[in-house]
Amino acid sequence: MRTITLGTAILGAICGMLGSFAVLRKQSLLGDAISHAALPGIAIAFLIMGAKDTNILLIGALISGLIGTFWIKGITTKTHLKSDTALGLTLSLFFGFGMLLLTFIQKQPNANQAGLDTYLFGQAATLLEKDVWLMAIVAGICLIILLVFWKEFKILLFDADYTKTLGFNTRFIDILITTFIVITIVLGLQTVGVILMSAMLLAPAAAARQWTNSLGIMVILAAIFGAFSGVVGTGISASQSNLPTGPVIVLVAASIVLISFIFSPSRGLLFRQIRFMKNRNSIKMQKTLAFMYGIAKNHENIAHPHAIKILNGFQGFSKRSLQELVDLNYVEINGQQWSMTQKGYNTAENLYDQQVKDTHE
Amino acid sequence: MKQKYAITVDDLTVAYNYKPVLWDIDLAIPESVLMCIVGPNGAGKSTLIKAILGIIKPIAGTVSIFGKSYKQQRSLVAYVPQKGSVDWDFPTTALDVVMMGTYGSLGWIKRPGQKEKKASLEALEKVGMLPFKNRQISQLSGGQQQRIFLARALVQNASIYFMDEPFQGVDATTEKAIINILKELRKAGKTVVVVHHDLQTVPEYFDWVTFLNVKKIATGPVKDIFNDDNLTKTYGINYKVSVQE
């Protein structure tokens, strides 16, 4: 149990880190295509070796995943097809072929075949200590590469053409990032499976983007979210019998995304809506004040009382905006009449200038 | 007599698929001019710049910068891409983007330090963007984003500047600010090549012009060749502009 939790945590962390790059490169679907493309590799490795050794199957997955990646890149550069079409084509082609092989294997009289289909949805319970070690080593290498080439990764993600003109070998950086994404996906297949793997890559990164405007913090946050999903997901699935770990982990990650989309202070839907309403109310109030100012300035005494009735039908006017004006001490109300205070008059006079100043700051 | 040119292009031909985008371009751009490339949409203006900079591989032709190959002279050349070519929602700040201009001289792995930061702040100051240094780039206006791109190129301290439509989508104030910086660069002996769309401002802004429409139509000083004849040849319609003397 501890091994499994540690494994899913490490997996979540690497996925988060590399997923940030995939999301920012607008290659979110690449992960999906690669993980599906890995399936025939697993089947072929099994057919050739005739045994279910995890490492050999994963090497098969790695090779076919890489072939899938090159196909996608090849299709987009050599033909008129857009990358989404190339991704979709490769994904379904490889996955279809993989399923075909799986069915073929299941009809073989080989006793070893059982359980090969766990790679579809993953089975964290099959994680052994040596698998976790492998994950930890890959995570370590990945972290070192990330720190060493941080500057190069960042500039390539932001502006690839410009990076080229500075004399950097963009192909090398590109291959480095993509290779690590492929390795990570392959490592995750055993736990999360071919079908849901891309969610592990994207969900933590998408959630992290909501909370920060710094690439460094985004990568760290994504790693934390990923590890958290791994730990909590494993915990939940262990506490309930027969809950599959992969899907639970993915659901936990998805909940983090949902929470982030709603509650993030700067980009979240909730705060944006609140800010929007606040702004609208304050503009309504200001418009009412400006309208009152227009009436009041025609009188010698600005505090001359007027009927509230005359405000009816004016766009910005509502009971609420009037009350707010009274609270701010801009206006006084006596029965059915209102009158402007000196403070309100001065504020209204400078209202437009103030607004112009606000938007320029 | 052989004049020294900043940029020479020989027989440059570029094709994306079947149709050539640039055909047999010969250019010799003297040092210390402010040149614009004009031509209709699809004339290959951006492609010409990208091919000179090695972003696009040409089918044929050679480019030399001060008599040597571009690869050898890379550090002398700075590039301002089209503003729309990047995702401005990228999680980074204005200062950070300008610092990217120092990455080339730093080379692999080495991180920017105090020296690079100081140079970047100076470049921000020059384009009037210092107060926005810590601003997330998505919260900058189009004109401000263009200034950031310009600052990033200025930080490279190059001898030749290539700019792809720096005036696209910017307001009059920013346009004036940018052209003033470009004129200063020329005064300092730098060569500036700009893809430009607004024909009306050509005589006011530039002293050198190249007409391009897949083939090179003409290249030379604005006062000699910026006329209705060349404009008609380039744009294919009977063109009349009032050239202010």
Side-chain angles (χ1 to χ4, degrees), chain A residues 3 5 8 12 16 23 31 38 61 89 101 121 146 158-159 192 196 216 227 248 289 319 334 339 348 354:
Chain A
T3 315
T5 311
T8 52
V23 167
L89 268 177
L101 289 174
F121 289 104
L146 206 70
F158 179 61
D159 193 344
V192 185
L196 292 175
V248 176
L289 185 66
K319 277 212 168 105
N334 265 320
S339 56
Q354 188 62 39

PDB file of all heavy atoms in Angstrom, chain A residues 3 5 8 12 16 23 31 38 61 89 101 121 146 158-159 192 196 216 227 248 289 319 334 339 348 354:
ATOM      1  N   THR A   3       3.940   1.431  -0.987  1.00  0.00           N
ATOM      2  CA  THR A   3       4.630   1.461  -2.279  1.00  0.00           C
ATOM      3  C   THR A   3       3.728   2.087  -3.338  1.00  0.00           C
ATOM      4  O   THR A   3       4.164   2.940  -4.110  1.00  0.00           O
ATOM      5  CB  THR A   3       4.973   0.021  -2.718  1.00  0.00           C
ATOM      6  OG1 THR A   3       5.492  -0.670  -1.617  1.00  0.00           O
ATOM      7  CG2 THR A   3       5.939   0.034  -3.865  1.00  0.00           C
ATOM      8  N   THR A   5       1.096   4.069  -2.964  1.00  0.00           N
ATOM      9  CA  THR A   5       0.862   5.488  -2.741  1.00  0.00           C
ATOM     10  C   THR A   5       2.061   6.315  -3.197  1.00  0.00           C
ATOM     11  O   THR A   5       1.914   7.331  -3.884  1.00  0.00           O
ATOM     12  CB  THR A   5       0.596   5.765  -1.247  1.00  0.00           C
ATOM     13  OG1 THR A   5      -0.375   4.841  -0.801  1.00  0.00           O
ATOM     14  CG2 THR A   5       0.095   7.175  -1.040  1.00  0.00           C
ATOM     15  N   THR A   8       2.168   6.392  -7.060  1.00  0.00           N
ATOM     16  CA  THR A   8       1.204   7.294  -7.705  1.00  0.00           C
ATOM     17  C   THR A   8       1.546   8.754  -7.420  1.00  0.00           C
ATOM     18  O   THR A   8       1.325   9.624  -8.257  1.00  0.00           O
ATOM     19  CB  THR A   8      -0.229   6.989  -7.246  1.00  0.00           C
ATOM     20  OG1 THR A   8      -0.267   6.986  -5.826  1.00  0.00           O
ATOM     21  CG2 THR A   8      -0.710   5.662  -7.782  1.00  0.00           C
ATOM     22  N   GLY A  12       2.264  11.329 -10.299  1.00  0.00           N
ATOM     23  CA  GLY A  12       1.488  12.568 -10.383  1.00  0.00           C
ATOM     24  C   GLY A  12       2.386  13.787 -10.503  1.00  0.00           C
ATOM     25  O   GLY A  12       2.122  14.708 -11.283  1.00  0.00           O
ATOM     26  N   GLY A  16       2.569  16.284 -13.656  1.00  0.00           N
ATOM     27  CA  GLY A  16       2.250  17.702 -13.490  1.00  0.00           C
ATOM     28  C   GLY A  16       3.301  18.592 -14.127  1.00  0.00           C
ATOM     29  O   GLY A  16       2.993  19.527 -14.867  1.00  0.00           O
ATOM     30  N   VAL A  23       0.643  21.622 -22.025  1.00  0.00           N
ATOM     31  CA  VAL A  23      -0.483  22.554 -22.068  1.00  0.00           C
ATOM     32  C   VAL A  23      -0.062  23.883 -22.699  1.00  0.00           C
ATOM     33  O   VAL A  23      -0.731  24.421 -23.573  1.00  0.00           O
ATOM     34  CB  VAL A  23      -1.040  22.795 -20.647  1.00  0.00           C
ATOM     35  CG1 VAL A  23      -1.981  23.980 -20.615  1.00  0.00           C
ATOM     36  CG2 VAL A  23      -1.754  21.553 -20.160  1.00  0.00           C
ATOM     37  N   GLY A  31      -0.384  14.083 -25.650  1.00  0.00           N
ATOM     38  CA  GLY A  31      -0.299  13.053 -24.623  1.00  0.00           C
ATOM     39  C   GLY A  31      -1.309  11.944 -24.853  1.00  0.00           C
ATOM     40  O   GLY A  31      -0.998  10.760 -24.698  1.00  0.00           O
ATOM     41  N   ALA A  38       0.798   3.740 -27.563  1.00  0.00           N
ATOM     42  CA  ALA A  38       1.653   2.794 -26.846  1.00  0.00           C
ATOM     43  C   ALA A  38       1.053   1.385 -26.797  1.00  0.00           C
ATOM     44  O   ALA A  38       1.772   0.404 -26.618  1.00  0.00           O
ATOM     45  CB  ALA A  38       1.913   3.298 -25.429  1.00  0.00           C
ATOM     46  N   ALA A  61       5.982  -0.340 -25.234  1.00  0.00           N
ATOM     47  CA  ALA A  61       5.105   0.834 -25.220  1.00  0.00           C
ATOM     48  C   ALA A  61       5.876   2.086 -25.616  1.00  0.00           C
ATOM     49  O   ALA A  61       5.401   2.910 -26.401  1.00  0.00           O
ATOM     50  CB  ALA A  61       4.499   1.005 -23.835  1.00  0.00           C
ATOM     51  N   LEU A  89      -5.954  10.955 -36.135  1.00  0.00           N
ATOM     52  CA  LEU A  89      -5.667   9.828 -37.029  1.00  0.00           C
ATOM     53  C   LEU A  89      -4.743   8.823 -36.356  1.00  0.00           C
ATOM     54  O   LEU A  89      -5.029   7.627 -36.295  1.00  0.00           O
ATOM     55  CB  LEU A  89      -4.967  10.339 -38.284  1.00  0.00           C
ATOM     56  CG  LEU A  89      -5.827  10.707 -39.485  1.00  0.00           C
ATOM     57  CD1 LEU A  89      -4.952  11.252 -40.600  1.00  0.00           C
ATOM     58  CD2 LEU A  89      -6.582   9.477 -39.969  1.00  0.00           C
ATOM     59  N   LEU A 101      -4.694  -6.567 -31.705  1.00  0.00           N
ATOM     60  CA  LEU A 101      -3.670  -7.475 -31.188  1.00  0.00           C
ATOM     61  C   LEU A 101      -4.080  -8.067 -29.847  1.00  0.00           C
ATOM     62  O   LEU A 101      -3.868  -9.245 -29.586  1.00  0.00           O
ATOM     63  CB  LEU A 101      -2.331  -6.730 -31.060  1.00  0.00           C
ATOM     64  CG  LEU A 101      -1.628  -6.382 -32.375  1.00  0.00           C
ATOM     65  CD1 LEU A 101      -0.394  -5.533 -32.103  1.00  0.00           C
ATOM     66  CD2 LEU A 101      -1.231  -7.648 -33.114  1.00  0.00           C
ATOM     67  N   PHE A 121      -6.994   0.466 -18.525  1.00  0.00           N
ATOM     68  CA  PHE A 121      -7.373   1.405 -17.467  1.00  0.00           C
ATOM     69  C   PHE A 121      -6.388   1.448 -16.318  1.00  0.00           C
ATOM     70  O   PHE A 121      -6.601   2.158 -15.352  1.00  0.00           O
ATOM     71  CB  PHE A 121      -8.769   1.068 -16.936  1.00  0.00           C
ATOM     72  CG  PHE A 121      -9.844   1.393 -17.928  1.00  0.00           C
ATOM     73  CD1 PHE A 121     -10.458   0.398 -18.657  1.00  0.00           C
ATOM     74  CD2 PHE A 121     -10.213   2.715 -18.154  1.00  0.00           C
ATOM     75  CE1 PHE A 121     -11.438   0.697 -19.583  1.00  0.00           C
ATOM     76  CE2 PHE A 121     -11.187   3.016 -19.077  1.00  0.00           C
ATOM     77  CZ  PHE A 121     -11.807   2.014 -19.807  1.00  0.00           C
ATOM     78  N   LEU A 146      15.136  19.619 -16.276  1.00  0.00           N
ATOM     79  CA  LEU A 146      14.267  20.795 -16.229  1.00  0.00           C
ATOM     80  C   LEU A 146      15.017  21.998 -15.679  1.00  0.00           C
ATOM     81  O   LEU A 146      14.935  23.111 -16.213  1.00  0.00           O
ATOM     82  CB  LEU A 146      13.086  20.454 -15.314  1.00  0.00           C
ATOM     83  CG  LEU A 146      11.804  21.203 -15.569  1.00  0.00           C
ATOM     84  CD1 LEU A 146      11.210  20.729 -16.874  1.00  0.00           C
ATOM     85  CD2 LEU A 146      10.825  20.952 -14.435  1.00  0.00           C
ATOM     86  N   PHE A 158       7.582  29.880 -25.410  1.00  0.00           N
ATOM     87  CA  PHE A 158       6.973  31.182 -25.679  1.00  0.00           C
ATOM     88  C   PHE A 158       7.091  31.573 -27.148  1.00  0.00           C
ATOM     89  O   PHE A 158       6.130  32.036 -27.758  1.00  0.00           O
ATOM     90  CB  PHE A 158       7.608  32.253 -24.795  1.00  0.00           C
ATOM     91  CG  PHE A 158       7.060  33.629 -25.037  1.00  0.00           C
ATOM     92  CD1 PHE A 158       5.721  33.893 -24.822  1.00  0.00           C
ATOM     93  CD2 PHE A 158       7.879  34.659 -25.483  1.00  0.00           C
ATOM     94  CE1 PHE A 158       5.199  35.165 -25.048  1.00  0.00           C
ATOM     95  CE2 PHE A 158       7.364  35.921 -25.716  1.00  0.00           C
ATOM     96  CZ  PHE A 158       6.030  36.176 -25.494  1.00  0.00           C
ATOM     97  N   ASP A 159       8.270  31.409 -27.737  1.00  0.00           N
ATOM     98  CA  ASP A 159       8.486  31.947 -29.077  1.00  0.00           C
ATOM     99  C   ASP A 159       9.561  31.124 -29.801  1.00  0.00           C
ATOM    100  O   ASP A 159      10.741  31.442 -29.755  1.00  0.00           O
ATOM    101  CB  ASP A 159       8.930  33.411 -28.939  1.00  0.00           C
ATOM    102  CG  ASP A 159       8.877  34.159 -30.254  1.00  0.00           C
ATOM    103  OD1 ASP A 159       8.794  33.489 -31.306  1.00  0.00           O
ATOM    104  OD2 ASP A 159       8.917  35.398 -30.232  1.00  0.00           O
ATOM    105  N   VAL A 192      -2.320   4.149 -14.535  1.00  0.00           N
ATOM    106  CA  VAL A 192      -3.530   4.884 -14.929  1.00  0.00           C
ATOM    107  C   VAL A 192      -4.132   4.327 -16.211  1.00  0.00           C
ATOM    108  O   VAL A 192      -5.332   4.462 -16.456  1.00  0.00           O
ATOM    109  CB  VAL A 192      -3.209   6.390 -15.093  1.00  0.00           C
ATOM    110  CG1 VAL A 192      -4.469   7.174 -15.374  1.00  0.00           C
ATOM    111  CG2 VAL A 192      -2.538   6.925 -13.854  1.00  0.00           C
ATOM    112  N   LEU A 196      -6.848   6.856 -19.873  1.00  0.00           N
ATOM    113  CA  LEU A 196      -6.976   8.029 -18.999  1.00  0.00           C
ATOM    114  C   LEU A 196      -5.660   8.768 -18.779  1.00  0.00           C
ATOM    115  O   LEU A 196      -5.619   9.793 -18.118  1.00  0.00           O
ATOM    116  CB  LEU A 196      -7.542   7.600 -17.652  1.00  0.00           C
ATOM    117  CG  LEU A 196      -8.995   7.137 -17.693  1.00  0.00           C
ATOM    118  CD1 LEU A 196      -9.421   6.631 -16.333  1.00  0.00           C
ATOM    119  CD2 LEU A 196      -9.900   8.267 -18.133  1.00  0.00           C
ATOM    120  N   GLY A 216       7.458  29.224 -13.416  1.00  0.00           N
ATOM    121  CA  GLY A 216       8.096  28.417 -12.380  1.00  0.00           C
ATOM    122  C   GLY A 216       7.085  27.920 -11.365  1.00  0.00           C
ATOM    123  O   GLY A 216       7.024  26.727 -11.046  1.00  0.00           O
ATOM    124  N   ALA A 227       0.805  15.122  -7.497  1.00  0.00           N
ATOM    125  CA  ALA A 227       1.156  14.217  -6.399  1.00  0.00           C
ATOM    126  C   ALA A 227      -0.034  14.057  -5.456  1.00  0.00           C
ATOM    127  O   ALA A 227      -0.359  12.946  -5.021  1.00  0.00           O
ATOM    128  CB  ALA A 227       2.364  14.768  -5.648  1.00  0.00           C
ATOM    129  N   VAL A 248     -10.027   6.800 -10.251  1.00  0.00           N
ATOM    130  CA  VAL A 248     -10.224   7.625  -9.051  1.00  0.00           C
ATOM    131  C   VAL A 248      -9.205   8.759  -9.021  1.00  0.00           C
ATOM    132  O   VAL A 248      -9.540   9.910  -8.735  1.00  0.00           O
ATOM    133  CB  VAL A 248     -10.139   6.766  -7.765  1.00  0.00           C
ATOM    134  CG1 VAL A 248     -10.256   7.649  -6.530  1.00  0.00           C
ATOM    135  CG2 VAL A 248     -11.235   5.722  -7.753  1.00  0.00           C
ATOM    136  N   LEU A 289     -25.643  59.417  -9.862  1.00  0.00           N
ATOM    137  CA  LEU A 289     -25.060  60.624  -9.264  1.00  0.00           C
ATOM    138  C   LEU A 289     -24.850  61.694 -10.333  1.00  0.00           C
ATOM    139  O   LEU A 289     -25.155  62.874 -10.128  1.00  0.00           O
ATOM    140  CB  LEU A 289     -23.738  60.260  -8.585  1.00  0.00           C
ATOM    141  CG  LEU A 289     -23.059  61.382  -7.801  1.00  0.00           C
ATOM    142  CD1 LEU A 289     -23.901  61.768  -6.592  1.00  0.00           C
ATOM    143  CD2 LEU A 289     -21.669  60.971  -7.341  1.00  0.00           C
ATOM    144  N   LYS A 319     -33.506  51.624  -6.401  1.00  0.00           N
ATOM    145  CA  LYS A 319     -33.571  51.903  -4.948  1.00  0.00           C
ATOM    146  C   LYS A 319     -32.212  51.675  -4.323  1.00  0.00           C
ATOM    147  O   LYS A 319     -31.775  52.388  -3.438  1.00  0.00           O
ATOM    148  CB  LYS A 319     -34.592  50.952  -4.310  1.00  0.00           C
ATOM    149  CG  LYS A 319     -36.013  51.456  -4.439  1.00  0.00           C
ATOM    150  CD  LYS A 319     -36.830  51.017  -3.215  1.00  0.00           C
ATOM    151  CE  LYS A 319     -38.154  51.752  -3.163  1.00  0.00           C
ATOM    152  NZ  LYS A 319     -39.300  50.902  -3.557  1.00  0.00           N
ATOM    153  N   ASN A 334     -35.283  63.280   2.128  1.00  0.00           N
ATOM    154  CA  ASN A 334     -36.302  63.760   3.054  1.00  0.00           C
ATOM    155  C   ASN A 334     -37.651  63.376   2.504  1.00  0.00           C
ATOM    156  O   ASN A 334     -38.113  63.982   1.534  1.00  0.00           O
ATOM    157  CB  ASN A 334     -36.217  65.290   3.184  1.00  0.00           C
ATOM    158  CG  ASN A 334     -35.366  65.675   4.385  1.00  0.00           C
ATOM    159  OD1 ASN A 334     -35.458  65.044   5.442  1.00  0.00           O
ATOM    160  ND2 ASN A 334     -34.533  66.691   4.200  1.00  0.00           N
ATOM    161  N   SER A 339     -31.921  65.631  -2.020  1.00  0.00           N
ATOM    162  CA  SER A 339     -31.108  66.814  -2.281  1.00  0.00           C
ATOM    163  C   SER A 339     -29.643  66.415  -2.223  1.00  0.00           C
ATOM    164  O   SER A 339     -29.264  65.464  -1.538  1.00  0.00           O
ATOM    165  CB  SER A 339     -31.399  67.893  -1.247  1.00  0.00           C
ATOM    166  OG  SER A 339     -31.178  67.368   0.043  1.00  0.00           O
ATOM    167  N   ALA A 348     -19.296  64.302  -7.990  1.00  0.00           N
ATOM    168  CA  ALA A 348     -19.904  64.203  -9.318  1.00  0.00           C
ATOM    169  C   ALA A 348     -19.148  65.053 -10.328  1.00  0.00           C
ATOM    170  O   ALA A 348     -18.952  64.653 -11.480  1.00  0.00           O
ATOM    171  CB  ALA A 348     -21.364  64.641  -9.252  1.00  0.00           C
ATOM    172  N   GLN A 354     -11.991  61.166 -12.801  1.00  0.00           N
ATOM    173  CA  GLN A 354     -11.575  60.076 -11.931  1.00  0.00           C
ATOM    174  C   GLN A 354     -11.584  58.751 -12.699  1.00  0.00           C
ATOM    175  O   GLN A 354     -10.646  57.972 -12.636  1.00  0.00           O
ATOM    176  CB  GLN A 354     -12.549  59.999 -10.747  1.00  0.00           C
ATOM    177  CG  GLN A 354     -12.133  59.034  -9.665  1.00  0.00           C
ATOM    178  CD  GLN A 354     -10.817  59.435  -9.030  1.00  0.00           C
ATOM    179  OE1 GLN A 354     -10.570  60.617  -8.814  1.00  0.00           O
ATOM    180  NE2 GLN A 354      -9.953  58.479  -8.775  1.00  0.00           N
TER     181      GLN A 354
END
